């Protein structure tokens, strides 16, 4: 074992011990975060407008500060973007993470000197936790690649802005720089397809040990590697044994990845966003990701079925239950307050607090009252594929409310790598798995309100072409697993 590996194991032990202190006292850790946030923001414009000086408890906070999404917080954010100080957080942010908006165009998420270190530490600690749990540290001697956005930053009123992954690239520690790929020049390429081709050229003869990125875009990289190298990725990179991912559920991609790699590799799931780094997988044996309760973020949770009712109850960490679908609400040391990031989570463990991302509060199907969420469609597809040679590259689901004939149904758009021999039997298997999970969906099938789902095949690279057509190919962009309308479906049908 090299000195670098030994040092990594020692550092991992230190970080694990430090983490266990707040893991053992989760409610206390969150209360300290809450009190610190309120105290530091008391004299900001937002703090004055919402009477932070009178807030002593989370209950006080819930009464004074309504839940907002970006559109509702935008008047405050706009003032920060214009260069005004002490609006949402003390002083000015050091960066803006620029993301794609919906009705407002680009979104600018502030990153402060207090919040930025937690983005870096969480990613580092996820890897160190893996080292501590498994004892595997040799990968630190190999090359590492992080498929990410361009690190080129622009400036607005004295504050730099860019994609979060590009901003984070500026914080890679010196001891990792020699091992890190791609080169700065390649990382700066904006066009995603050109960038991936350049990354393949730079990495195909290197000793790649760790590969990280959103699965759908790593898949594109692996396919190009295999095409150029003529053999599985695992044969090109003999020491590749750790895949780090986030953004989407890995399970629908797992079979395809193992086929591309040629063997199984360990994986670490992360839950990062421009708004904060919320969780990472802390166990190779247990389901879910460790919710980071000591990282400058105060969490509240609203039950999904209550979210759109007036004044839904907001639960704190000590009040949550297992297997309940919650909308995640955050308040952070970057100045986001009672902020709805749009993700829904379920707790898989309460000691420690572990979560899975179950979907998006805006990405669901309930055209007939079925309340179908992302976790359910992903699980149903996985169950139908188990024990078969079927492989799926990508998929999305939409309701067909007004078919030309017969009852309405859910339409599944699937791009297959290995197709089923019988598409109708595969559709029935998915449908059966859906009915077992979702009683509302089952009732609609039994009551002949809906008929069995229909699968529409999408041509090879059809989803990539769709993402390219809307300007969201690559980077941190993700295809919605499901929608309550047919905006995506209608575009896919034209391809």
């Amino acid at each position: 074992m090299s000195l670098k590996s030994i040092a990594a194991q020692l550092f991992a032990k230190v970080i694990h011990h430090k983490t266990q202190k707040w893991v053992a006292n989760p409610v206390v850790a969150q209360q300290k975060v809450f009190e610190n946030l309120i105290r530091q923001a008391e004299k900001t414009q937002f703090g004055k407008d919402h009477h932070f000086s009178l807030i002593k408890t989370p209950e006080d906070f819930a009464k004074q500060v309504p839940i907002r999404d970006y559109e509702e917080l935008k008047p405050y954010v706009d003032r920060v973007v214009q260069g005004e100080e002490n609006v949402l957080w003390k002083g000015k942010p050091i960066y803006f993470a620029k993301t794609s908006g919906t009705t407002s165009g680009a979104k600018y998420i502030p990153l402060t000197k207090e919040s930025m270190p937690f983005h870096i530490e969480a990613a580092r600690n996820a890897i160190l936790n893996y080292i501590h749990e498994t004892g595997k540290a040799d990968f630190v001697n190999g090359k590492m690649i992080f498929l990410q956005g361009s690190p080129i930053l622009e400036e607005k009123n004295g504050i730099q802005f860019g994609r979060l992954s590009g901003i984070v690239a500026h914080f890679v520690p010196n001891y990792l720089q020699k091992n890190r790929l791609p080169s700065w020049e390649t990382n700066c390429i904006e066009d995603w397809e050109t960038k991936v081709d350049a990354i393949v050229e730079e990495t195909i003869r290197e000793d790649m040990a760790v590969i990280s990125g959103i699965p759908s875009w790593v898949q594109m990289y692996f396919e190009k590697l295999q095409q150029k190298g003529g053999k599985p990725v695992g044969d090109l990179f003999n020491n590749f044994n750790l895949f780090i991912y986030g953004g989407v559920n890995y399970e629908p991609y797992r079979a395809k990845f193992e086929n591309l790699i040629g063997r199984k590799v360990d994986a670490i799931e992360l839950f990062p966003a421009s708004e904060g780094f919320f969780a990472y997988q802390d166990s190779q044996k247990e389901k879910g990701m460790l919710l980071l309760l000591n990282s400058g973020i105060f969490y509240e949770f609203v039950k999904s079925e209550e979210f759109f009712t007036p004044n839904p109850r907001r639960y704190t960490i000590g009040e949550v239950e297992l297997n309940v679908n919650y909308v995640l609400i955050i308040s952070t040391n970057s100045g986001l307050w009672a902020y709805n990031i749009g993700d829904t989570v379920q707790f898989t463990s309460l000691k420690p607090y572990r979560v899975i991302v179950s979907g998006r509060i805006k990405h669901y199907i309930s055209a007939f009252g079925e309340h179908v969420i992302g976790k359910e469609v992903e699980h149903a597809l996985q169950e139908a594929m188990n024990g078969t040679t079927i492989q799926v590259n990508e998929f999305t689901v939409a309701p067909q409310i007004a078919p030309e004939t017969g009852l309405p149904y859910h339409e599944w758009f699937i791009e297959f790598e290995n197709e089923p021999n019988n598409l109708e039997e595969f559709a029935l298997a998915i449908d059966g798995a859906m009915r077992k999970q979702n009683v509302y969906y089952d009732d609609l099938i039994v009551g002949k309100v809906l008929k069995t789902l229909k699968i529409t095949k999408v041509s090879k690279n059809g989803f990539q072409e769709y993402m390219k057509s809307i300007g969201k190919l690559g980077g941190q962009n993700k295809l919605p697993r499901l929608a309550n309308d047919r905006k995506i479906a209608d575009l896919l049908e034209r391809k």
Side-chain angles (χ1 to χ4, degrees), residues 71-354:
E71 305 302 325
E72 293 162 314
L73 195 66
K74 191 173 182 291
Y76 285 100
V77 176
D78 285 346
R79 292 169 63 177
V80 182
V81 172
Q82 292 304 315
E84 190 174 337
E85 296 186 9
N86 303 313
V87 178
L88 288 166
W89 190 253
K90 57 187 181 181
K92 294 168 67 172
I94 54 175
Y95 296 102
F96 287 115
K98 184 180 179 183
T99 68
S100 300
T102 51
T103 60
S104 64
K107 293 164 55 177
Y108 294 92
I109 306 299
L111 298 168
T112 64
K113 64 180 181 181
E114 290 83 9
S115 70
M116 195 66 220
F118 288 114
H119 284 273
I120 311 306
E121 288 176 12
R124 179 202 69 187
N125 291 352
I127 297 173
L128 290 172
N129 183 87
Y130 169 82
I131 291 172
H132 183 268
E133 182 194 16
T134 65
K136 299 175 183 178
D138 288 343
F139 65 84
V140 301
N141 301 300
K143 298 287 187 179
M144 304 179 185
I145 186 170
F146 302 91
L147 295 179
Q148 56 192 190
S150 170
I152 295 175
L153 304 179
E154 300 176 64
E155 192 172 295
K156 186 181 287 284
N157 295 315
I159 303 172
Q160 292 185 307
F161 68 92
R163 297 288 181 184
L164 176 65
S165 60
I167 293 170
V168 169
H170 291 262
F171 289 83
V172 176
N174 290 332
Y175 63 85
L176 288 181
Q177 290 289 5
K178 290 182 180 179
N179 294 55
R180 181 174 173 269
L181 289 168
S183 65
W184 183 267
E185 292 74 20
T186 295
N187 225 6
C188 290
I189 297 172
E190 290 289 349
D191 180 76
W192 186 251
E193 291 173 296
T194 304
K195 183 173 186 169
V196 173
D197 287 337
I199 291 173
V200 168
E201 291 295 331
E202 281 193 3
T203 59
I204 195 166
R205 285 172 288 278
E206 296 287 351
D207 179 23
M208 303 304 302
V210 179
I211 296 173
S212 176
I214 292 177
S216 50
W217 307 125
V218 175
Q219 180 177 306
M220 181 193 292
Y221 167 58
F222 282 175
E223 288 171 341
K224 287 177 178 286
L225 276 171
Q226 191 179 67
Q227 184 178 7
K228 185 172 180 61
K231 51 186 175 181
V233 173
D235 290 345
L236 294 170
F237 305 142
N238 292 323
N239 292 314
F240 169 45
N241 284 299
L242 182 59
F243 173 49
I244 304 173
Y245 69 95
V248 297
N249 184 3
Y250 181 43
E251 289 309 313
Y253 299 94
R254 188 180 293 275
K256 177 65 186 294
F257 267 58
E258 290 177 359
N259 179 264
L260 287 167
I261 298 167
R263 53 185 165 82
K264 293 184 178 181
V265 299
D266 285 350
I268 303 174
E269 183 176 8
L270 309 179
F271 185 10
S274 300
E275 295 86 352
F277 202 122
F278 308 122
Y280 60 72
Q281 183 180 345
D282 69 319
S283 173
Q284 292 292 303
K285 301 171 185 175
E286 302 295 332
K287 184 179 181 182
M289 296 173 283
L290 182 70
L291 189 65
L292 304 180
L293 302 174
N294 193 39
S295 297
I297 302 171
F298 174 67
Y299 299 95
E300 296 173 282
F301 307 89
V302 177
K303 292 181 179 179
S304 294
E305 66 266 25
E306 299 174 1
F307 185 73
F308 293 106
T309 63
N311 301 312
R313 181 178 172 187
R314 289 147 69 168
Y315 298 85
T316 55
I317 194 65
E319 301 171 308
V320 296
E321 304 171 61
L322 293 174
N323 304 317
V324 174
N325 210 43
Y326 292 105
V327 180
L328 185 62
I329 307 299
I330 61 168
S331 297
T332 76
N333 55 5
S334 63
L336 301 177
W337 300 103
Y339 186 85
N340 170 25
I341 65 168
D343 286 318
T344 59
V345 299
Q346 291 182 8
F347 284 88
T348 60
S349 166
L350 302 182
K351 289 185 178 181
Y353 285 95
R354 294 194 183 102

Side-chain angles (χ1 to χ4, degrees), residues 3 7 32 34 38 70 112 114 155 158 207 252 276 293 366 417:
L3 286 174
K32 286 181 178 178
F34 171 74
I38 297 299
Y70 185 82
T112 64
E114 290 83 9
E155 192 172 295
D207 179 23
L293 302 174
S366 198
E417 181 67 21

